[in-house]
Amino acid sequence: MSIVVTGATGHLGRLVIAELLARGVAPAGIAAAVRDTGKAADLAASGVELRVADYDRPETLKAAFAAGDRVLLVSGNEVGRRIPQHTAAIDAAAEAGVALLAYTGVLGGPAADFVLADEHKATEEHILASGLPYVFLRNGWYTEVYTANLPAVLEHGAVIGNAGDGRLASAARADYAAAAAVVLTGEGHENRAYELSGDTSWSFPDYAAVIAELSGREVAYHDVSPEERQEILTGVGVPADFAAVLVDVDQAIGRGLLAGTSGELARLIDRPTTPLRETVAAELAALQG
């Protein structure tokens, strides 16, 4: 039996494996499921088993899982293609007879009415239909999704969005990774859904103010219409379909759908979630160093 982490060379997958190792799981008891083993040489060097698992090549998935494995299915990053990709992985896991399938979905689950949630909801439905023991890790937003854009924010002195005064309760990727590790190594989580989010919600004006304070530069939030935001995004090269998804997410934030602070993430990891300010400070330090 192994703990299998799919998407293991991605941002979240790597953090989950690091968290498992930090919690004392033996490297030999962890399998990193990856598309390209060449990108996982560091994981192999640490003693972690590598298994090839390409969501677009279902034949590779048959050997990715074994009976008794606990599997973390990290959602794919190709919006619009995830339903067939996830379906192939779930079917392979069911055929293998895995002991537990944990899936990184989206905050709100069936109640999430924005476009980006559709594939997550369909995936959860397929997992339920599979009969597999499951855990739904309904992740809120990663703060790093926003801090990754800090160079552009600092260059233009502006955070741009169409969320109005809506708030979101984000947390650091490492917080969500820790929650996944808890579920994969613990007991009593089967057939449960966790609504995971940061301890404190914030607005984009709050975010701009934190950046301004920590950077010593003038930064303000500019709220624009959905149509203007779509034009801005496509103008900098974002594909129109994905730009529309981002605009729709901001509208969901404006409706309060990502502001929930259930406390479930902090309870799972047994510590407070990482504050917005701390993640911004770390990213600014990295940019300066």
Side-chain angles (χ1 to χ4, degrees), residues 237-250:
V238 178
D241 288 348
F242 189 59
V245 168
L246 297 177
V247 170
D248 184 61
V249 165
D250 264 24

Side-chain angles (χ1 to χ4, degrees), residues 154-168:
L154 294 171
E155 179 183 354
H156 299 288
V159 174
I160 300 173
N162 56 282
D165 58 0
R167 304 180 71 83
L168 67 156

Side-chain angles (χ1 to χ4, degrees), residues 45-190:
S46 71
V48 170
E49 177 189 357
L50 300 187
R51 299 182 186 176
V52 175
D54 187 335
Y55 295 156
D56 291 320
R57 295 165 55 209
E59 69 276 9
T60 68
L61 298 171
K62 294 180 181 180
F65 313 120
D69 283 346
R70 291 187 172 201
V71 176
L72 176 65
L73 177 58
V74 176
S75 57
N77 58 10
E78 297 176 89
V79 177
R81 299 183 61 192
R82 293 189 285 193
I83 292 176
Q85 290 176 335
H86 294 171
T87 296
I90 295 161
D91 290 348
E95 184 177 350
V98 305
L100 181 71
L101 181 66
Y103 172 67
T104 60
V106 70
L107 189 67
D113 66 359
F114 44 96
V115 173
L116 195 61
D118 290 347
E119 292 172 308
H120 292 296
K121 291 189 286 188
T123 299
E124 287 193 2
E125 290 172 2
H126 195 70
I127 291 171
L128 291 173
S130 76
L132 285 167
Y134 67 87
V135 183
F136 294 149
L137 298 168
R138 293 174 177 162
N139 290 350
W141 256 226
Y142 306 145
T143 308
E144 291 90 343
V145 167
Y146 297 99
T147 58
N149 295 322
L150 273 177
V153 170
L154 294 171
E155 179 183 354
H156 299 288
V159 174
I160 300 173
N162 56 282
D165 58 0
R167 304 180 71 83
L168 67 156
S170 70
R173 277 196 184 94
D175 298 334
Y176 295 107
V182 167
V183 164
L184 292 168
T185 57
E187 302 297 334
H189 302 289
E190 292 84 355

Side-chain angles (χ1 to χ4, degrees), residues 200-276:
T200 305
S201 66
W202 50 270
S203 67
F204 287 111
D206 293 337
Y207 177 52
V210 169
I211 297 170
E213 178 189 349
L214 294 178
S215 68
R217 303 189 191 184
E218 291 188 8
V219 178
Y221 174 59
H222 296 285
D223 193 63
V224 299
S225 70
E227 295 77 17
E228 289 175 295
R229 179 93 185 288
Q230 178 81 15
E231 290 181 5
I232 291 168
L233 291 169
T234 55
V236 296
V238 178
D241 288 348
F242 189 59
V245 168
L246 297 177
V247 170
D248 184 61
V249 165
D250 264 24
Q251 290 179 292
I253 292 170
R255 297 194 302 275
L257 294 183
L258 295 168
T261 53
S262 68
E264 288 195 341
L265 179 53
R267 286 193 290 273
L268 265 182
I269 63 179
D270 197 29
R271 62 169 173 78
T273 61
T274 306
L276 170 68

